[in-house]
Amino acid sequence: MTDNPPNDTPDKKPEARTLATEWVQAFDQLEQFGVNIANWLNQLGIGADADLNQFNLSEPVGTAPRAKIKLDMTIGLAHIEPLPAGSPNLIEAEIVSIGEVEMAATTERDAKSVRLRQRRNTDDIFKPVKDAVDTVARIDELQWTVRLSPDVPLTLEVGAGLTIAKLDFTGLQLTRLKMDGGTGHTVVTLPASVTTAEIDGGFGVLDLHIPDGAKTTLHMNNGAGATNIFIGDAGVKAEIDGGVGNCTVIIPAATAACLRADSGLGNITVPEAMNEVTFETEFISESGVWQTSGFEFAARKIDIRYEGGVGSLIVQHAEA
């Protein structure tokens, strides 16, 4: 049943904080699992404690007017943030990992391309197994810290891997983002500059922040877990495919908004200020259109199309 609550009460806040705690506990369980398997492999004579490797990598800006960057993060704590303005480097990375990491750069025509990833070692057939087990067992010691130039227009592709990630793109000239979610808790903050964001959720909690002033087209496939989207006073056109878990969208009360939604296996909840244009129920699903008064003529608007999976859609106004 569609519910239009009379006000945005505190009990409607997204459960990201609680779920984040649950995922940290899940990482602890995963770490213990890795320890147990590592001990078992040691008894068989094929397990060994791998050394932690620390890498400090960088690539200069060069003369290319724009850049394409691909980050394949694997496991641990991940953090992406901008470099100081005027930095000579396009990218800097501080990584603690088990196994080798490599950065490769090429320049073609008007763009520099950089890829950062874990290097695969095939010299020892047991090494991938041993590294994987040791990696899981020591997950709290591993990290990927990446800093990017705010002075160069960027297109960015990110593989989140098995990480607890804080990806803060504030201040970057990020024009396009493509992200594959991993397993863990991921917090993504977009800059106002991003025009297109394609995000495939993984298995965990995803918090996405779109700031005031953005003009963004968002394509999102939710994964398994909670998805929380916080939209500022921005122009956003969003297409969201629900996964397994609730999807909560927080929007400003003063910004024009329209929602076209098919719930799938779940309910749809919208603010009272969004007028019901159409509404239908069929078996266990709901669908309809809701929008604020004057939506068609608003200069800045939030337009959401939602195709549900298993879980509810909750649209609510941000607290004043």
Side-chain angles (χ1 to χ4, degrees):
M1 177 178 179
T2 302
D3 183 18
N4 294 81
N7 52 53
D8 296 318
T9 55
D11 64 327
K12 290 295 184 181
K13 291 182 180 179
E15 301 174 353
R17 183 174 301 174
T18 301
L19 289 168
T21 301
E22 292 175 357
W23 279 104
V24 171
Q25 294 171 349
F27 265 48
D28 290 341
Q29 295 171 0
L30 187 61
E31 180 181 353
Q32 185 57 52
F33 169 77
V35 170
N36 293 338
I37 297 298
N39 289 336
W40 176 73
L41 289 176
N42 283 330
Q43 292 173 7
L44 296 179
I46 61 174
D49 288 336
D51 292 330
L52 289 178
N53 297 319
Q54 184 165 348
F55 300 89
N56 291 281
L57 306 171
S58 63
E59 177 64 29
V61 172
T63 58
R66 61 189 180 89
K68 301 176 182 178
I69 297 177
K70 184 173 183 179
L71 306 176
D72 294 319
M73 300 182 291
T74 52
I75 188 168
L77 301 177
H79 188 197
I80 299 177
E81 63 184 7
L83 284 164
S87 171
N89 289 326
L90 173 65
I91 178 173
E92 296 179 3
E94 298 175 12
I95 300 168
V96 178
S97 72
I98 292 175
E100 299 295 316
V101 172
E102 62 182 1
M103 180 185 291
T106 59
T107 301
E108 297 180 1
R109 295 183 181 180
D110 62 343
K112 172 172 280 192
S113 297
V114 178
R115 184 172 187 181
L116 178 64
R117 63 179 175 177
Q118 194 93 27
R119 180 185 298 165
R120 295 184 178 181
N121 189 323
T122 59
D123 295 338
D124 179 355
I125 61 173
F126 289 113
K127 185 170 177 53
V129 176
K130 291 184 288 186
D131 281 356
V133 170
D134 285 324
T135 294
V136 172
R138 303 172 70 177
I139 191 171
D140 60 332
E141 301 177 69
L142 308 176
Q143 68 175 20
W144 291 69
T145 300
V146 178
R147 299 179 179 89
L148 302 173
S149 171
D151 303 322
V152 180
L154 303 174
T155 60
L156 181 60
E157 186 173 343
V158 178
L162 182 60
T163 62
I164 297 176
K166 181 180 180 181
L167 313 181
D168 187 357
F169 304 122
T170 303
L172 296 179
Q173 297 183 51
L174 183 61
T175 57
R176 182 177 181 270
L177 171 68
K178 180 176 175 58
M179 192 185 88
D180 291 327
T183 301
H185 183 199
T186 303
V187 179
V188 181
T189 302
L190 297 180
S193 63
V194 69
T195 55
T196 304
E198 302 175 26
I199 299 176
D200 289 331
F203 189 73
V205 180
L206 174 62
D207 295 336
L208 175 65
H209 298 261
I210 301 176
D212 293 348
K215 295 182 179 179
T216 302
T217 298
L218 171 66
H219 302 280
M220 175 170 284
N221 293 310
N222 295 347
T227 300
N228 305 300
I229 305 173
F230 303 85
I231 303 177
D233 184 14
V236 176
K237 184 176 182 180
E239 295 181 356
I240 304 171
D241 289 333
V244 179
N246 289 349
C247 179
T248 302
V249 183
I250 313 296
I251 62 176
T255 302
C258 178
L259 169 67
R260 299 170 178 84
D262 187 336
S263 69
L265 299 179
N267 297 330
I268 302 171
T269 301
V270 300
E272 188 176 50
M274 294 187 70
N275 304 312
E276 182 180 292
V277 179
T278 65
F279 177 72
E280 297 180 359
T281 58
E282 183 176 350
F283 189 43
I284 55 176
S285 66
E286 304 174 346
S287 62
V289 177
W290 297 262
Q291 67 181 37
T292 56
S293 299
F295 171 82
E296 300 91 340
F297 309 105
R300 180 174 291 168
K301 61 185 70 177
I302 298 170
D303 192 349
I304 302 170
R305 297 173 182 262
Y306 176 85
E307 290 290 335
V310 179
S312 295
L313 171 66
I314 303 166
V315 179
Q316 65 185 54
H317 285 150
E319 294 184 354

